[in-house]
Amino acid sequence: MSQIICGDLEFDNIKYKFDFRDNILVLLPEELQQYAKWRFEHLGKKERFDYVNVEGVTNNGWYICFVHIKFFHLGRGALQAFVPGYAVCKANGITPLPTCEQIEKIRFYGDCLDKFYYPKRVVETSDFVHSKDIKFEIKKQKMKTDDFMVNKDKYSFGVYWTAPYSSNINVVLDVSSYLEIKFDNCKNITEIIDYYLNVKKFFSFINNRKYIKFERIIAFRNDNISYGFEKQDNIRSIEIEFELYFVDPDEKFDLNTSLNTVRLEDLDNKFCRIYKEVTKEKFFTQYYPLSTSDNHYIDNDKYVSVSSAFESEFDKLHPKFKSTISSEYNEIKQIILKSISNKKYRTKEKLKNDKVNNKSLKTTINECDYFSKIIKNIDGTLHEKIVYSYKKYNNIIESKRNKLLKNYELDKAKAGVLANKFVKRRNDISHGNGTGQFDSLEIIAYELLRICIYCITLERCKFSEEKIKEFIEKIF
């Protein structure tokens, strides 16, 4: 049975009782209106609600904040909304009730962090087979956090340990990794969500997964609380915790179970650079698989997503690709742009000297701008970019290509042939042409291009070819 949370809140100066279950929030006014009266009052109204954050108090006295919700009417004054996320503070007996504002730091826990920042690093053991004495201790020097500054915020990776209670009598020690972000300036709940999405985006890249789940997310703030036991002004500063919950897609989710995974030490102190690159708004993550099983098949949507992600990353690394590799192409391009510019200038002069407001001349100027913009942005076809990438990263993708060729019982496949296959399939999908099953070369082209996207991103982060190859072997 799903969790049910009930309580009280106020919205638009109206007090409601709320019921929250299965990610659906229902608000009931203290007195439901008569249906006929309510319908008459709202007849013809086009009332639209905006996305808002709504705060309330649960029946057991906890603070709760429902994030980024949009209500619609159920009738008789009742409202309903889907809840993508909410924050809960389980601190009882504090007055006034803490609100999810002025947040000083946030902490993440989960499998993705345990894989990235291996928690057993803090435990030192002896050789149990050959040693007479069994040693099992925590290495204090490895309990220190690894710290990075990202846009004035402090990102700290660390490990904490606990001795389990009697319910786990067979476990000697629990260790777990975490990421803590200490903010340069205090944040509100809306800003916290942006950080959450960015951290997810980073771990999506590291794990080649479309969605990432965290076991726990906790936000912290310090409040001055008056206890009033000894003196009237007996005020103490305490740390308040807010547990954050977000809706994850109803999809099968997993991470690569292999221990051969990307870890913090693999990044060569370039965590900040990679984090900034892959958390930018225009960085594509939709082409990642959902899970290991999802990674074993291809569909048209995935094909188009890979094409978009590839062109986006390629153009960032090579903004003037064809003009750079071909001086002849650049010369011809500049001649054409110059010719358009001259045509525009002559037309403007003619329009200036013409007493009549000539609509045709204005149209010519607009067309000059139109063609100039198109030609400026033309710097190589998708086919040329794919062939260039296959050849440039040949040493990195060679083992994967050979494995794919062997699986499909093929002797060889030239870069140009694979590029042709990929481009034709992508164009057929985009133009609504009929597409049948994927043939072997289309699948190979798709798989190799996914690797090339990672290669391009890592090259933009200034990793060597040897290091990029190490990354690819772990991720793919």
mmCIF file of all heavy atoms in Angstrom, residues 186-205:
data_model
loop_
_atom_site.group_PDB
_atom_site.id
_atom_site.type_symbol
_atom_site.label_atom_id
_atom_site.label_comp_id
_atom_site.label_asym_id
_atom_site.label_seq_id
_atom_site.Cartn_x
_atom_site.Cartn_y
_atom_site.Cartn_z
ATOM 1 N N CYS A 186 22.891 30.910 0.752
ATOM 2 C CA CYS A 186 21.780 30.025 1.117
ATOM 3 C C CYS A 186 20.764 29.940 -0.024
ATOM 4 O O CYS A 186 20.552 30.917 -0.758
ATOM 5 C CB CYS A 186 21.098 30.520 2.390
ATOM 6 S SG CYS A 186 22.165 30.419 3.852
ATOM 7 N N LYS A 187 20.139 28.776 -0.156
ATOM 8 C CA LYS A 187 19.225 28.523 -1.270
ATOM 9 C C LYS A 187 17.814 28.237 -0.773
ATOM 10 O O LYS A 187 17.611 27.791 0.360
ATOM 11 C CB LYS A 187 19.713 27.314 -2.080
ATOM 12 C CG LYS A 187 21.164 27.399 -2.540
ATOM 13 C CD LYS A 187 21.409 28.557 -3.477
ATOM 14 C CE LYS A 187 22.862 28.625 -3.903
ATOM 15 N NZ LYS A 187 23.150 29.807 -4.750
ATOM 16 N N ASN A 188 16.837 28.474 -1.657
ATOM 17 C CA ASN A 188 15.461 28.076 -1.354
ATOM 18 C C ASN A 188 15.158 26.754 -2.041
ATOM 19 O O ASN A 188 15.997 26.208 -2.762
ATOM 20 C CB ASN A 188 14.472 29.170 -1.774
ATOM 21 C CG ASN A 188 14.572 29.501 -3.257
ATOM 22 O OD1 ASN A 188 14.785 28.613 -4.089
ATOM 23 N ND2 ASN A 188 14.411 30.769 -3.613
ATOM 24 N N ILE A 189 13.960 26.241 -1.840
ATOM 25 C CA ILE A 189 13.617 24.918 -2.340
ATOM 26 C C ILE A 189 13.681 24.840 -3.864
ATOM 27 O O ILE A 189 14.101 23.826 -4.440
ATOM 28 C CB ILE A 189 12.209 24.489 -1.844
ATOM 29 C CG1 ILE A 189 11.872 23.052 -2.293
ATOM 30 C CG2 ILE A 189 11.150 25.469 -2.281
ATOM 31 C CD1 ILE A 189 12.765 22.004 -1.740
ATOM 32 N N THR A 190 13.299 25.918 -4.560
ATOM 33 C CA THR A 190 13.340 25.921 -6.025
ATOM 34 C C THR A 190 14.771 25.814 -6.530
ATOM 35 O O THR A 190 15.057 25.074 -7.486
ATOM 36 C CB THR A 190 12.679 27.201 -6.574
ATOM 37 O OG1 THR A 190 11.341 27.286 -6.096
ATOM 38 C CG2 THR A 190 12.662 27.189 -8.100
ATOM 39 N N GLU A 191 15.683 26.533 -5.893
ATOM 40 C CA GLU A 191 17.090 26.471 -6.290
ATOM 41 C C GLU A 191 17.696 25.113 -5.962
ATOM 42 O O GLU A 191 18.556 24.604 -6.699
ATOM 43 C CB GLU A 191 17.871 27.579 -5.584
ATOM 44 C CG GLU A 191 17.483 28.976 -6.038
ATOM 45 C CD GLU A 191 18.055 30.064 -5.146
ATOM 46 O OE1 GLU A 191 17.940 29.947 -3.907
ATOM 47 O OE2 GLU A 191 18.623 31.037 -5.687
ATOM 48 N N ILE A 192 17.237 24.499 -4.868
ATOM 49 C CA ILE A 192 17.724 23.182 -4.489
ATOM 50 C C ILE A 192 17.426 22.162 -5.591
ATOM 51 O O ILE A 192 18.242 21.281 -5.895
ATOM 52 C CB ILE A 192 17.067 22.724 -3.166
ATOM 53 C CG1 ILE A 192 17.587 23.552 -1.989
ATOM 54 C CG2 ILE A 192 17.321 21.241 -2.912
ATOM 55 C CD1 ILE A 192 19.032 23.330 -1.667
ATOM 56 N N ILE A 193 16.261 22.279 -6.211
ATOM 57 C CA ILE A 193 15.878 21.343 -7.267
ATOM 58 C C ILE A 193 16.838 21.428 -8.450
ATOM 59 O O ILE A 193 17.188 20.417 -9.067
ATOM 60 C CB ILE A 193 14.432 21.612 -7.719
ATOM 61 C CG1 ILE A 193 13.474 21.257 -6.587
ATOM 62 C CG2 ILE A 193 14.083 20.831 -8.976
ATOM 63 C CD1 ILE A 193 12.050 21.647 -6.825
ATOM 64 N N ASP A 194 17.291 22.637 -8.774
ATOM 65 C CA ASP A 194 18.256 22.796 -9.865
ATOM 66 C C ASP A 194 19.552 22.036 -9.559
ATOM 67 O O ASP A 194 20.138 21.405 -10.451
ATOM 68 C CB ASP A 194 18.566 24.284 -10.090
ATOM 69 C CG ASP A 194 17.371 25.035 -10.660
ATOM 70 O OD1 ASP A 194 16.532 24.390 -11.313
ATOM 71 O OD2 ASP A 194 17.273 26.260 -10.442
ATOM 72 N N TYR A 195 20.004 22.091 -8.308
ATOM 73 C CA TYR A 195 21.205 21.357 -7.916
ATOM 74 C C TYR A 195 20.960 19.849 -8.015
ATOM 75 O O TYR A 195 21.824 19.096 -8.480
ATOM 76 C CB TYR A 195 21.622 21.726 -6.490
ATOM 77 C CG TYR A 195 22.382 23.028 -6.406
ATOM 78 C CD1 TYR A 195 21.719 24.253 -6.346
ATOM 79 C CD2 TYR A 195 23.774 23.044 -6.387
ATOM 80 C CE1 TYR A 195 22.411 25.446 -6.269
ATOM 81 C CE2 TYR A 195 24.483 24.234 -6.313
ATOM 82 C CZ TYR A 195 23.794 25.435 -6.260
ATOM 83 O OH TYR A 195 24.488 26.624 -6.187
ATOM 84 N N TYR A 196 19.810 19.420 -7.576
ATOM 85 C CA TYR A 196 19.443 17.997 -7.651
ATOM 86 C C TYR A 196 19.489 17.504 -9.100
ATOM 87 O O TYR A 196 20.058 16.441 -9.401
ATOM 88 C CB TYR A 196 18.055 17.804 -7.040
ATOM 89 C CG TYR A 196 17.339 16.558 -7.470
ATOM 90 C CD1 TYR A 196 17.723 15.304 -6.982
ATOM 91 C CD2 TYR A 196 16.268 16.625 -8.361
ATOM 92 C CE1 TYR A 196 17.055 14.152 -7.389
ATOM 93 C CE2 TYR A 196 15.599 15.476 -8.756
ATOM 94 C CZ TYR A 196 15.991 14.247 -8.272
ATOM 95 O OH TYR A 196 15.331 13.117 -8.669
ATOM 96 N N LEU A 197 18.920 18.271 -10.011
ATOM 97 C CA LEU A 197 18.895 17.878 -11.417
ATOM 98 C C LEU A 197 20.299 17.841 -12.016
ATOM 99 O O LEU A 197 20.613 16.968 -12.834
ATOM 100 C CB LEU A 197 17.997 18.831 -12.218
ATOM 101 C CG LEU A 197 16.508 18.792 -11.864
ATOM 102 C CD1 LEU A 197 15.749 19.884 -12.611
ATOM 103 C CD2 LEU A 197 15.915 17.427 -12.184
ATOM 104 N N ASN A 198 21.152 18.781 -11.603
ATOM 105 C CA ASN A 198 22.519 18.805 -12.111
ATOM 106 C C ASN A 198 23.333 17.610 -11.613
ATOM 107 O O ASN A 198 24.100 17.009 -12.369
ATOM 108 C CB ASN A 198 23.214 20.107 -11.709
ATOM 109 C CG ASN A 198 22.794 21.280 -12.572
ATOM 110 O OD1 ASN A 198 22.277 21.093 -13.670
ATOM 111 N ND2 ASN A 198 23.007 22.485 -12.093
ATOM 112 N N VAL A 199 23.171 17.268 -10.343
ATOM 113 C CA VAL A 199 23.891 16.114 -9.795
ATOM 114 C C VAL A 199 23.431 14.841 -10.506
ATOM 115 O O VAL A 199 24.237 13.968 -10.854
ATOM 116 C CB VAL A 199 23.679 16.001 -8.272
ATOM 117 C CG1 VAL A 199 24.255 14.694 -7.741
ATOM 118 C CG2 VAL A 199 24.328 17.176 -7.551
ATOM 119 N N LYS A 200 22.124 14.725 -10.763
ATOM 120 C CA LYS A 200 21.602 13.576 -11.510
ATOM 121 C C LYS A 200 22.215 13.528 -12.908
ATOM 122 O O LYS A 200 22.565 12.457 -13.405
ATOM 123 C CB LYS A 200 20.083 13.667 -11.622
ATOM 124 C CG LYS A 200 19.325 13.238 -10.386
ATOM 125 C CD LYS A 200 17.836 13.141 -10.648
ATOM 126 C CE LYS A 200 17.506 11.968 -11.530
ATOM 127 N NZ LYS A 200 16.048 11.745 -11.646
ATOM 128 N N LYS A 201 22.327 14.682 -13.532
ATOM 129 C CA LYS A 201 22.847 14.745 -14.895
ATOM 130 C C LYS A 201 24.305 14.287 -14.943
ATOM 131 O O LYS A 201 24.720 13.586 -15.867
ATOM 132 C CB LYS A 201 22.716 16.180 -15.420
ATOM 133 C CG LYS A 201 22.551 16.285 -16.925
ATOM 134 C CD LYS A 201 22.180 17.703 -17.322
ATOM 135 C CE LYS A 201 21.972 17.805 -18.834
ATOM 136 N NZ LYS A 201 21.658 19.183 -19.250
ATOM 137 N N PHE A 202 25.075 14.671 -13.932
ATOM 138 C CA PHE A 202 26.483 14.262 -13.873
ATOM 139 C C PHE A 202 26.587 12.741 -13.744
ATOM 140 O O PHE A 202 27.348 12.095 -14.474
ATOM 141 C CB PHE A 202 27.185 14.939 -12.702
ATOM 142 C CG PHE A 202 28.564 14.397 -12.443
ATOM 143 C CD1 PHE A 202 29.637 14.766 -13.240
ATOM 144 C CD2 PHE A 202 28.789 13.498 -11.409
ATOM 145 C CE1 PHE A 202 30.909 14.252 -13.016
ATOM 146 C CE2 PHE A 202 30.055 12.987 -11.172
ATOM 147 C CZ PHE A 202 31.114 13.357 -11.977
ATOM 148 N N PHE A 203 25.812 12.154 -12.833
ATOM 149 C CA PHE A 203 25.900 10.713 -12.626
ATOM 150 C C PHE A 203 25.271 9.932 -13.780
ATOM 151 O O PHE A 203 25.616 8.774 -14.006
ATOM 152 C CB PHE A 203 25.289 10.329 -11.278
ATOM 153 C CG PHE A 203 26.205 10.610 -10.120
ATOM 154 C CD1 PHE A 203 26.011 11.713 -9.303
ATOM 155 C CD2 PHE A 203 27.293 9.794 -9.874
ATOM 156 C CE1 PHE A 203 26.864 11.986 -8.252
ATOM 157 C CE2 PHE A 203 28.167 10.050 -8.824
ATOM 158 C CZ PHE A 203 27.952 11.145 -8.014
ATOM 159 N N SER A 204 24.358 10.556 -14.518
ATOM 160 C CA SER A 204 23.857 9.935 -15.746
ATOM 161 C C SER A 204 24.993 9.768 -16.743
ATOM 162 O O SER A 204 25.123 8.731 -17.393
ATOM 163 C CB SER A 204 22.749 10.788 -16.360
ATOM 164 O OG SER A 204 21.563 10.707 -15.625
ATOM 165 N N PHE A 205 25.822 10.791 -16.860
ATOM 166 C CA PHE A 205 26.966 10.741 -17.770
ATOM 167 C C PHE A 205 27.973 9.687 -17.331
ATOM 168 O O PHE A 205 28.450 8.881 -18.139
ATOM 169 C CB PHE A 205 27.635 12.118 -17.835
ATOM 170 C CG PHE A 205 28.901 12.144 -18.654
ATOM 171 C CD1 PHE A 205 28.846 12.185 -20.036
ATOM 172 C CD2 PHE A 205 30.146 12.135 -18.044
ATOM 173 C CE1 PHE A 205 30.014 12.205 -20.799
ATOM 174 C CE2 PHE A 205 31.311 12.157 -18.786
ATOM 175 C CZ PHE A 205 31.242 12.182 -20.182
#
